């Protein structure tokens, strides 16, 4: 029997519960870009992942886990505000507020095993794609990157220094 099955659900961190609710909605509705805060909290009340929906879950969905909002007491980067009162999981390339340095998804050891697939769902977009999967648009987006490097230096002198 797995060790996680012996951990009481009440031990689930509030931030992790907020993450799981949004990830569940993404799994249930893969074509949807985002979800209203109300939908997320309604699912929490229905599923009762950690018993009754704890008041802190709403605060985490609205503020503490939202990557593009200034950090208050929580600095997680799990969710992204797409519009007022609308959330989705964080994706690569999303602009994160500089005050946010916290985790992007729960640690698998902190979540009951039946939810581990949701963590993998969130991690998948962050996995590097092989070079062969790069599209011409990906390569074109690199145009001009690094142009500022060496502007003040003489190119010949710069190459001589590199050869040393």
């Amino acid at each position: 029997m797995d060790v996680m099955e012996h951990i009481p659900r009440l031990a689930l961190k509030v931030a992790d519960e907020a993450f799981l609710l949004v990830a569940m909605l993404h799994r249930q509705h893969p074509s949807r870009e985002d979800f209203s805060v109300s939908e997320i909290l309604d699912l929490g009340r229905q599923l009762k992942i950690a018993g009754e929906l704890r008041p802190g879950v709403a605060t985490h969905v609205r503020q503490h886990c939202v990557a593009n909002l200034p950090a208050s007491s929580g600095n997680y980067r799990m969710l992204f505000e797409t519009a007022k009162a609308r959330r989705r999981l964080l994706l690569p390339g999303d602009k994160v507020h500089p005050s946010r340095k916290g985790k992007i998804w729960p640690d698998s050891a902190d979540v009951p095993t039946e939810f581990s697939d949701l963590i993998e769902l969130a991690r998948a977009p962050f996995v590097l794609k092989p070079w062969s999967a790069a599209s011409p648009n990906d390569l074109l987006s690199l145009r001009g990157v690094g142009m500022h490097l060496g502007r003040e230096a003489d190119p010949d002198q710069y190459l001589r220094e590199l050869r040393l």
Side-chain angles (χ1 to χ4, degrees):
M1 184 168 261
D2 191 70
V3 175
M4 288 300 296
E5 293 174 14
H6 298 293
I7 296 176
R9 289 189 170 203
L10 290 175
L12 185 66
K13 295 174 183 165
V14 175
D16 294 348
E17 184 175 354
F19 168 90
L20 291 173
L21 291 171
V22 177
M24 283 180 203
L25 285 168
H26 278 294
R27 184 176 60 194
Q28 291 172 0
H29 308 283
S31 62
R32 300 245 332 250
E33 178 186 342
D34 61 10
F35 306 95
S36 71
V37 169
S38 298
E39 284 178 277
I40 298 165
L41 298 177
D42 286 347
L43 180 63
R45 283 184 207 93
Q46 176 188 352
L47 295 180
K48 301 177 183 179
I49 295 173
E52 291 299 315
L53 184 69
R54 297 171 285 177
V57 175
T59 305
H60 279 73
V61 169
R62 289 188 180 105
Q63 172 65 35
H64 295 322
C65 290
V66 185
N68 52 331
L69 297 179
S72 54
S73 62
N75 69 356
Y76 302 112
R77 299 173 291 163
M78 297 175 161
L79 308 180
F80 190 81
E81 180 179 61
T82 56
K84 186 174 174 71
R86 301 213 48 95
R87 304 288 185 268
R88 66 166 164 75
L89 293 178
L90 183 72
L91 293 173
D94 285 344
K95 293 194 188 285
V96 174
H97 193 277
S99 64
R100 298 240 177 214
K101 307 286 184 216
K103 65 183 179 180
I104 298 174
W105 44 75
D107 183 340
S108 298
D110 294 337
V111 174
T113 54
E114 67 257 33
F115 300 120
S116 54
D117 64 315
L118 296 171
I119 297 171
E120 293 310 311
L121 172 79
R123 282 185 182 165
F126 289 88
V127 176
L128 294 176
K129 295 178 185 173
W131 173 256
S132 60
S135 73
N137 289 337
D138 293 337
L139 298 175
L140 290 174
S141 70
L142 296 174
R143 185 175 185 203
V145 171
M147 287 185 61
H148 67 286
L149 298 174
R151 276 202 176 150
E152 291 98 33
D154 172 50
D156 294 326
Q157 179 63 32
Y158 176 72
L159 289 175
R160 279 192 290 278
E161 288 173 11
L162 283 177
R163 291 182 184 136
L164 293 178

